[in-house]
Coordinates of all heavy atoms in Angstrom, one line a residue:
F67 N 0.2 20.9 2.7 CA -0.7 22.0 3.1 C 0.0 23.4 2.9 O 1.2 23.5 2.9 CB -1.0 21.8 4.6 CG -2.0 20.7 4.9 CD1 -1.5 19.4 5.2 CD2 -3.3 20.9 4.8 CE1 -2.3 18.4 5.4 CE2 -4.2 19.8 5.0 CZ -3.6 18.6 5.3
F68 N -0.9 24.4 2.7 CA -0.5 25.7 2.6 C -1.0 26.4 3.9 O -2.2 26.3 4.3 CB -1.1 26.4 1.4 CG -1.1 27.9 1.4 CD1 0.1 28.6 1.0 CD2 -2.2 28.7 1.8 CE1 0.1 29.9 1.0 CE2 -2.1 30.0 1.8 CZ -0.9 30.7 1.4
E69 N -0.1 27.2 4.6 CA -0.6 27.9 5.8 C -0.4 29.4 5.5 O 0.7 29.9 5.2 CB 0.3 27.6 7.0 CG -0.2 28.3 8.3 CD 0.5 27.9 9.5 OE1 1.3 26.9 9.4 OE2 0.3 28.5 10.5
C70 N -1.5 30.1 5.6 CA -1.5 31.6 5.3 C -0.9 32.4 6.4 O -1.3 32.2 7.6 CB -2.9 32.1 5.0 SG -3.0 33.8 4.6
A71 N 0.1 33.2 6.2 CA 0.7 34.0 7.2 C -0.2 35.1 7.7 O -0.1 35.6 8.8 CB 2.0 34.6 6.7
A72 N -1.1 35.5 6.8 CA -2.0 36.6 7.2 C -3.2 36.2 8.0 O -3.5 36.9 9.1 CB -2.6 37.3 5.9
C73 N -3.9 35.1 7.7 CA -5.1 34.7 8.5 C -4.9 33.4 9.3 O -5.8 33.1 10.0 CB -6.3 34.7 7.6 SG -6.3 33.3 6.4
G74 N -3.8 32.7 9.0 CA -3.6 31.5 9.7 C -4.3 30.2 9.2 O -4.2 29.2 9.7
A75 N -5.1 30.4 8.1 CA -5.8 29.2 7.5 C -4.8 28.2 7.0 O -3.7 28.5 6.5 CB -6.7 29.7 6.3
E76 N -5.1 26.9 7.2 CA -4.3 25.8 6.8 C -5.2 25.0 5.8 O -6.2 24.5 6.2 CB -3.9 25.0 7.9 CG -2.8 24.0 7.5 CD -2.2 23.3 8.7 OE1 -1.7 24.0 9.7 OE2 -2.2 22.1 8.8
L77 N -4.8 25.0 4.5 CA -5.5 24.4 3.4 C -4.7 23.4 2.6 O -3.5 23.6 2.5 CB -6.1 25.5 2.6 CG -6.9 26.6 3.2 CD1 -6.9 27.8 2.4 CD2 -8.3 26.1 3.5
P78 N -5.4 22.4 2.0 CA -4.6 21.6 1.1 C -4.0 22.4 0.0 O -4.5 23.4 -0.5 CB -5.7 20.6 0.5 CG -6.8 20.7 1.5 CD -6.7 22.1 2.1
A79 N -2.7 22.1 -0.3 CA -2.0 22.9 -1.3 C -2.7 23.0 -2.7 O -2.6 24.0 -3.4 CB -0.6 22.4 -1.5
E80 N -3.4 21.9 -3.0 CA -4.1 21.9 -4.4 C -5.2 22.9 -4.4 O -5.7 23.3 -5.5 CB -4.5 20.6 -4.8 CG -5.5 19.9 -3.9 CD -4.8 19.0 -2.8 OE1 -3.6 18.9 -2.8 OE2 -5.6 18.4 -2.0
S81 N -5.7 23.5 -3.3 CA -6.8 24.5 -3.3 C -6.3 25.9 -3.5 O -7.0 26.9 -3.5 CB -7.7 24.4 -2.0 OG -6.9 24.8 -0.9
V82 N -4.9 26.1 -3.5 CA -4.3 27.4 -3.5 C -4.1 27.8 -5.0 O -3.5 27.0 -5.8 CB -3.0 27.4 -2.7 CG1 -2.3 28.8 -2.8 CG2 -3.3 27.1 -1.3
Q83 N -4.5 29.0 -5.3 CA -4.2 29.6 -6.7 C -2.9 30.4 -6.6 O -2.5 30.9 -5.5 CB -5.4 30.5 -7.1 CG -6.7 29.8 -7.2 CD -6.7 28.8 -8.4 OE1 -6.0 29.0 -9.4 NE2 -7.4 27.7 -8.2
Y84 N -2.4 30.7 -7.7 CA -1.1 31.5 -7.8 C -1.3 32.7 -8.6 O -2.1 32.7 -9.6 CB 0.0 30.6 -8.3 CG 0.4 29.5 -7.4 CD1 -0.3 28.3 -7.3 CD2 1.4 29.7 -6.4 CE1 0.0 27.3 -6.5 CE2 1.7 28.6 -5.5 CZ 1.0 27.5 -5.6 OH 1.3 26.5 -4.7
D85 N -0.6 33.8 -8.2 CA -0.8 35.1 -9.0 C 0.1 35.0 -10.3 O 0.8 33.9 -10.5 CB -0.4 36.3 -8.2 CG 1.0 36.4 -7.7 OD1 1.9 35.6 -8.2 OD2 1.3 37.3 -6.9
G88 N 3.7 33.9 -9.7 CA 3.9 32.6 -9.2 C 3.9 32.5 -7.7 O 4.2 31.5 -7.1
Y89 N 3.4 33.5 -7.0 CA 3.2 33.5 -5.6 C 1.8 33.0 -5.2 O 0.9 33.4 -5.8 CB 3.5 34.9 -4.9 CG 4.9 35.4 -5.2 CD1 5.2 36.4 -6.1 CD2 5.9 34.8 -4.5 CE1 6.5 36.8 -6.3 CE2 7.2 35.2 -4.7 CZ 7.5 36.2 -5.6 OH 8.8 36.6 -5.8
P90 N 1.7 32.2 -4.1 CA 0.4 31.7 -3.7 C -0.5 32.8 -3.1 O 0.0 33.8 -2.5 CB 0.8 30.7 -2.6 CG 2.2 31.0 -2.1 CD 2.8 31.7 -3.2
Q91 N -1.8 32.6 -3.3 CA -2.8 33.6 -2.9 C -3.8 32.8 -2.0 O -4.3 31.8 -2.5 CB -3.5 34.2 -4.0 CG -4.5 35.3 -3.6 CD -5.0 36.1 -4.8 OE1 -4.6 35.8 -5.9 NE2 -5.9 37.0 -4.5
C92 N -4.0 33.2 -0.8 CA -4.9 32.4 0.1 C -6.3 32.5 -0.3 O -6.8 33.5 -0.6 CB -4.7 33.0 1.6 SG -5.9 32.3 2.7
P93 N -6.9 31.3 -0.4 CA -8.4 31.3 -0.9 C -9.3 31.9 0.2 O -10.4 32.2 -0.1 CB -8.7 29.8 -1.1 CG -7.4 29.1 -0.8 CD -6.4 30.0 -0.4
E94 N -8.9 31.9 1.4 CA -9.7 32.4 2.5 C -9.8 33.9 2.6 O -10.8 34.5 2.6 CB -9.2 31.8 3.9 CG -9.4 30.3 4.0 CD -10.8 29.9 4.2 OE1 -11.6 30.6 4.9 OE2 -11.2 28.8 3.6
C95 N -8.6 34.5 2.6 CA -8.5 36.0 2.8 C -8.0 36.7 1.6 O -7.8 38.0 1.6 CB -7.7 36.3 4.1 SG -5.9 36.0 3.9
L96 N -7.6 36.0 0.6 CA -7.0 36.6 -0.7 C -5.6 37.2 -0.5 O -5.2 38.0 -1.4 CB -8.0 37.5 -1.3 CG -9.4 36.9 -1.7 CD1 -10.3 37.9 -2.3 CD2 -9.2 35.7 -2.6
A97 N -5.0 37.1 0.7 CA -3.7 37.6 0.9 C -2.7 36.9 0.0 O -2.7 35.7 -0.2 CB -3.3 37.5 2.3
R98 N -1.7 37.6 -0.5 CA -0.6 37.0 -1.3 C 0.6 36.9 -0.5 O 0.8 37.7 0.4 CB -0.3 37.9 -2.6 CG -1.5 37.9 -3.5 CD -1.1 38.5 -4.8 NE -0.5 39.8 -4.6 CZ 0.2 40.4 -5.6 NH1 0.4 39.9 -6.7 NH2 0.7 41.6 -5.4
T99 N 1.5 36.0 -0.8 CA 2.9 36.0 -0.3 C 3.8 36.4 -1.3 O 3.5 36.5 -2.5 CB 3.2 34.5 0.2 OG1 3.1 33.7 -0.9 CG2 2.3 34.1 1.3
G100 N 5.0 36.8 -0.9 CA 6.0 37.3 -1.8 C 6.6 38.6 -1.4 O 6.3 39.1 -0.3
A103 N 4.2 41.5 -0.3 CA 3.0 41.1 0.6 C 3.0 42.0 1.8 O 1.9 42.5 2.2 CB 3.2 39.7 1.0
E106 N 1.5 45.4 0.7 CA 0.1 45.3 0.5 C -0.7 45.3 1.8 O -1.8 45.9 2.0 CB -0.3 44.1 -0.4 CG 0.3 44.3 -1.8 CD 0.1 43.0 -2.6 OE1 -0.2 41.9 -2.0 OE2 0.3 43.1 -3.8

Side-chain angles (χ1 to χ4, degrees):
F67 287 93
F68 166 80
E69 184 177 351
C70 179
C73 72
E76 191 171 306
L77 306 157
E80 59 268 0
S81 68
V82 177
Q83 298 292 327
Y84 293 84
D85 67 8
Y89 294 107
Q91 185 172 1
C92 178
E94 295 286 322
C95 70
L96 302 179
R98 293 190 308 162
T99 58
E106 292 173 349

